[in-house]
Amino acid sequence: METKQQPKKALVLGGGGTTGTAWEIGLLLGLYEGGIDVTDVDLIIGTSAGSVTGAQITSGLTLQELYALQLRPIEQAKERVVPLDQDILRKVFVAGTGAADAQTARARIGAVALAAQTMSEEERLDIIAERLSVQDWPSTPRLVIIAIDAQTGEWVLFDKASAVPLVLAVAASTAFPGVSPPTTIGGHRYIDGGFRSATNADLAKGAQRVLILSPLTFDSSAQDGPANSAYIKTFEDEQVQLQQAGAQVLVITPDEASVAAKGPHASDSRRLALSARAGCAQGHLLAESVKRFWGSVI
């Protein structure tokens, strides 16, 4: 009987809005220009913004080409600057408070998302499709995308075997409540996979080396909203799980210059070029240390 081989190297791409995607692409290019290609892996896990990055870097386009797309003026893309409704965001952030368990909390958040007034699903799918240069799942590496069932609160894993179109999987994983409409797949509505975890890094369990890029920091004391909520899996717990399973783990979050470039709103598409450039510069700075970590795996 054929058995599934454990991945040797995994790349985890966390959530953090459109500026997060730009930062991740820039960082990956900076590392590549510094002599280390961390996209040559067995497994890629993409959550929210990271699902966009994961789909892009497995599309066949070079990192240079993907980076150039981040530098385009917003007028040349279908990106929209969506105003943030602070009342809706507050409802999202407190919806899960007091829930008996994480799934119930996520279902309550899903209910807020289903009731919110946003752009249409059709318009949103056009935007997502424009972000993806290729709209087919890659054969290799395995790309895994996480989303949440808005009605039940269950988290789901999409990959090539799920037979869900890549555009729909990415739209679901990036559908932040109150900002974007939940995505319809097979009669279910799905929202942002970041409401399970900002990175879902625990799903890389079994890999020997795990590199995690997170546009969000893990200092929960300095964060508001879902990253500071009990129903979200903490990165610290995920890292412990990975290390207990024998993985070596390296985490990269935005440095001071990248934080400034991204600005206060993760989905401010006017800052994509700034975020990408800052990520690229950070990648250059980190290339040697990442080389030492990535090394060779037998």
Side-chain angles (χ1 to χ4, degrees):
M1 183 174 69
E2 185 178 347
T3 58
K4 194 174 222 180
Q5 188 174 12
Q6 291 287 358
K8 293 180 178 179
K9 292 182 177 179
L11 177 62
V12 176
L13 302 164
T18 52
T19 59
T21 297
W23 174 79
E24 288 175 336
I25 292 293
L27 186 88
L28 292 170
L29 176 61
L31 293 174
Y32 181 82
E33 292 177 342
I36 178 69
D37 181 6
V38 297
T39 67
D40 184 16
V41 293
D42 308 294
L43 172 66
I44 296 175
I45 295 171
T47 300
S48 196
S51 73
V52 179
T53 308
Q56 289 178 333
I57 65 176
T58 56
S59 68
L61 269 66
T62 66
L63 289 172
Q64 291 89 341
E65 290 170 323
L66 294 172
Y67 180 76
L69 291 175
Q70 307 304 314
L71 306 185
R72 291 178 301 172
I74 189 173
E75 295 79 14
Q76 294 180 13
K78 290 187 177 180
E79 294 292 344
R80 280 183 51 184
V81 178
V82 181
L84 299 178
D85 186 325
Q86 297 300 326
D87 289 336
I88 291 293
L89 292 180
R90 277 191 288 271
K91 289 180 182 178
V92 170
F93 294 158
V94 303
T97 303
D101 53 53
Q103 183 173 331
T104 301
R106 293 192 296 262
R108 291 180 181 178
I109 294 166
V112 175
L114 291 167
Q117 296 295 313
T118 64
M119 72 178 78
S120 69
E121 277 195 70
E122 292 76 15
E123 183 178 0
R124 179 100 200 300
L125 287 176
D126 282 346
I127 292 172
I128 298 300
E130 201 263 346
R131 290 179 188 171
L132 306 185
S133 304
V134 174
Q135 298 176 14
D136 296 319
W137 288 94
S139 297
T140 56
R142 184 186 179 208
L143 173 61
V144 169
I145 291 173
I146 313 303
I148 305 295
D149 187 312
Q151 287 134 320
T152 68
E154 294 178 282
W155 68 275
V156 296
L157 179 157
F158 296 122
D159 62 6
K160 186 175 183 179
S162 66
V164 169
L166 180 60
V167 170
L168 289 181
V170 171
S173 188
T174 57
F176 195 91
V179 177
S180 303
T183 300
T184 303
I185 302 174
H188 292 255
R189 307 288 302 283
Y190 293 95
I191 61 172
D192 199 306
F195 284 91
R196 177 184 184 266
S197 158
T199 64
N200 290 293
D202 59 312
L203 301 182
K205 186 176 178 180
Q208 296 177 33
R209 282 192 176 90
V210 181
L211 176 62
I212 301 171
L213 308 188
S214 176
L216 302 175
T217 67
F218 296 112
D219 180 8
S220 58
S221 65
Q223 294 186 33
D224 296 319
N228 197 25
S229 301
Y231 53 82
I232 302 256
K233 290 177 70 69
T234 69
F235 173 74
E236 291 79 9
D237 287 343
E238 292 179 326
Q239 189 172 22
V240 167
Q241 290 180 44
L242 291 172
Q243 291 171 337
Q244 287 180 341
Q248 296 182 51
V249 181
L250 178 64
V251 184
I252 301 177
T253 56
D255 59 13
E256 187 175 348
S258 293
V259 170
K262 289 170 81 280
H265 301 303
S267 295
D268 187 348
S269 297
R270 295 167 297 189
R271 303 184 73 89
L272 297 185
L274 289 171
S275 300
R277 290 189 177 103
C280 189
Q282 186 177 355
H284 287 154
L285 294 174
L286 295 176
E288 289 303 319
S289 60
V290 174
K291 280 183 198 177
R292 290 192 294 272
F293 165 77
W294 209 231
S296 60
V297 176
I298 300 174

